[in-house]
């Protein structure tokens, strides 16, 4: 809270009303934080639902008592006249255990989803999940058989919740057009003037982004600064020496992580896109899709690709009798 308050005040030292507005807004977000992930700490956040935006028709998770829902922060303090006021300590302890088990299952599912994303089973970055609760209220009166059946299901309910939360998080990421994040090297190259064109040809093949170039004073060497993807850096030094006859040298330092702008699941839908790319069969796989397929093949994950490109040609092979 103190860090957020000091940061907001440093942004707008003159406009106090605006700073107070942002302070209250961020305090609401901080109160709704359920967990961070993966591994209890990380760049992903799990939020509880915003109770103020919901209707007054509250639903509960456990038949006859909203105690579990209150413990999880999914409903406000709920008071129902039909609910008995005097609950035994054993019932309260059982509800506390159920609330803790359910909370651990939801958090564990969130941790599993953020540790292995849907694109290529890698860690997610900068993703926020909001848990919205839509539960049909159960009947207040229930016979003993229903209660026993419900209590027997709690043994497998933990795994069911964990799997459901993990699949829901992965499906939500897919629906919101995810982007692949790749590591980038900061590359400093030194080359003579006559090999400058060959060096740029190598950089273009490696998807490098040139930042600046300048000539060193008192020498015929050019210094070029560029960003090179780590996935393209394998064999970069050998190819650079081969094309420049050993005259160019490169220094690579890990710089940052950068998101690829291409959509890995792009399919032409609008008239302009169909006119430009065709009906989808002629669209070449973009860079993000190529990287995802390469990682999935290396990990043994399923990849959507055609095993047989031209089946008719394989049936016309000559058979020697």
């Amino acid at each position: 809270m103190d860090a957020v308050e000091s940061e907001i005040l440093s942004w707008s030292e003159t406009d106090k009303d605006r700073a107070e507005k942002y302070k209250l807004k961020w305090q609401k977000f901080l109160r709704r934080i359920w967990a961070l992930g993966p591994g209890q700490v990380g760049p992903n956040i799990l939020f509880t639902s915003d109770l103020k935006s919901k209707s007054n028709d509250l639903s509960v998770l456990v038949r006859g008592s909203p105690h579990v829902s209150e413990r999880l922060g999914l409903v406000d303090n709920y008071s129902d006249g039909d609910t008995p006021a005097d609950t035994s300590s054993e019932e309260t302890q059982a509800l506390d255990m159920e609330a803790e088990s359910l909370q651990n299952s939801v958090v564990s599912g969130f941790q599993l989803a953020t540790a292995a994303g849907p694109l290529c089973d890698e860690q997610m970055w900068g993703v926020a999940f909001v848990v919205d609760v839509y539960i049909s209220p159960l009947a207040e009166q229930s016979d003993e058989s229903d209660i026993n059946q419900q209590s027997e299901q709690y043994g497998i309910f933990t795994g069911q919740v964990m799997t459901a939360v993990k699949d829901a998080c992965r499906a939500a990421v897919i629906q919101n057009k995810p982007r692949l994040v790749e590591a980038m090297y900061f590359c400093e190259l030194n080359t003579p003037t006559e090999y400058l064109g060959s060096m740029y040809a190598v950089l273009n093949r490696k998807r490098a982004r040139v930042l600046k170039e300048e000539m060193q004073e008192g020498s015929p060497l050019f210094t070029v600064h560029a960003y090179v993807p780590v996935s393209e850096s394998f064999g970069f030094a050998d190819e650079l020496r081969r094309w420049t006859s050993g005259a160019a040298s490169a220094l690579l330092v890990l710089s940052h992580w950068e998101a690829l702008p291409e959509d890995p699941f792009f399919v032409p839908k609008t008239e302009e896109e169909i006119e430009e790319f065709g009906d989808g069969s002629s669209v070449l796989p973009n860079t993000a899709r190529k990287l995802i397929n390469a990682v999935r093949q290396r990990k043994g994950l399923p990849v959507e690709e055609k095993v047989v490109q031209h089946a008719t040609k394989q049936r016309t092979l000559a058979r020697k009798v």
Side-chain angles (χ1 to χ4, degrees):
M1 291 289 186
D2 297 337
V4 173
E5 183 177 357
S6 60
E7 185 71 17
I8 292 176
L9 291 178
S10 64
W11 290 347
S12 55
E13 296 180 353
T14 57
D15 194 351
K16 300 296 183 181
D17 296 336
R18 185 179 180 183
E20 188 67 22
K21 180 180 178 181
Y22 279 111
K23 176 183 174 182
L24 295 176
K25 181 179 179 180
W26 279 103
Q27 284 179 353
K28 292 179 180 178
F29 279 113
L30 292 177
R31 294 191 192 99
R32 290 172 53 195
I33 292 179
W34 193 345
L36 301 175
Q40 306 300 329
V41 292
N44 308 293
I45 305 178
L46 180 66
F47 288 103
T48 58
S49 58
D50 190 4
L51 301 178
K52 297 299 180 60
S53 62
K54 304 297 180 183
S55 61
N56 294 327
D57 187 12
L58 300 178
S59 301
V60 296
L61 296 178
V62 176
R63 185 190 302 270
S65 175
H67 184 75
V68 176
S69 303
E70 295 176 3
R71 285 290 306 274
L72 296 178
L74 302 179
V75 298
D76 284 327
N77 294 332
Y78 186 83
S79 61
D80 192 355
D82 297 334
T83 304
D86 50 344
T87 57
S88 62
S89 59
E90 295 181 358
E91 294 179 355
T92 304
Q93 186 178 2
L95 292 174
D96 288 339
M97 293 177 61
E98 178 62 27
E100 185 177 359
S101 175
L102 187 58
Q103 179 178 0
N104 293 336
S105 301
V106 174
V107 174
S108 298
F110 163 74
Q111 301 287 351
L112 291 175
T114 52
L119 295 183
C120 45
D121 274 5
E122 293 290 339
Q123 179 179 336
M124 296 185 189
W125 289 72
V127 182
F129 297 95
V130 180
V131 179
D132 286 332
V133 184
Y134 298 97
I135 303 173
S136 300
L138 299 175
E140 297 181 1
Q141 301 295 333
S142 60
D143 53 2
E144 186 177 357
S145 62
D146 293 340
I147 296 178
N148 295 333
Q149 183 179 4
Q150 187 179 10
S151 62
E152 292 176 358
Q153 294 178 354
Y154 286 162
I156 60 175
F157 193 62
T158 300
Q160 290 177 349
V161 172
M162 190 184 307
T163 305
V165 172
K166 183 188 70 173
D167 294 341
C169 292
R170 292 167 66 97
V173 172
I174 290 294
Q175 292 178 0
N176 286 272
K177 297 181 179 180
R179 293 294 183 266
L180 192 66
V181 180
E182 63 176 351
M184 302 293 290
Y185 275 136
F186 174 76
C187 180
E188 181 178 350
L189 302 104
N190 295 314
T191 181
T193 308
E194 58 269 19
Y195 293 107
L196 195 60
S198 301
M199 184 198 65
Y200 274 114
V202 175
L203 291 178
N204 291 332
R205 284 193 295 270
K206 295 298 183 179
R207 297 192 295 113
R209 186 172 74 251
V210 178
L211 302 177
K212 69 174 182 178
E213 64 174 13
E214 57 184 6
M215 189 171 185
Q216 299 180 6
E217 297 182 0
S219 66
L221 296 178
F222 266 88
T223 300
V224 178
H225 292 171
Y227 284 139
V228 179
V230 174
S231 59
E232 301 289 343
S233 64
F234 300 100
F236 174 69
D238 296 337
E239 186 175 355
L240 185 65
R241 284 194 295 266
R242 184 172 64 251
W243 282 85
T244 60
S245 301
S249 61
L251 174 65
L252 298 177
V253 179
L254 183 63
S255 175
H256 64 284
W257 293 81
E258 186 173 321
L260 290 175
E262 293 91 353
D263 185 4
F265 305 103
F266 172 73
V267 176
K269 295 181 180 179
T270 62
E271 295 182 358
E272 293 80 5
E273 293 176 349
I274 294 176
E275 183 179 356
E276 182 178 357
F277 301 103
D279 57 353
S281 59
S282 60
V283 178
L284 297 177
N286 52 26
T287 304
R289 189 66 178 179
K290 290 180 180 179
L291 293 175
I292 291 175
N293 290 338
V295 174
R296 294 184 70 89
Q297 287 178 354
R298 187 169 66 249
K299 291 185 174 183
L301 300 174
V303 178
E304 296 181 1
E305 62 177 358
K306 292 183 179 179
V307 179
V308 178
Q309 295 292 339
H310 305 286
T312 56
K313 292 184 178 180
Q314 298 182 5
R315 293 187 300 174
T316 57
L317 297 178
R319 292 185 297 177
K320 296 180 180 180
V321 180

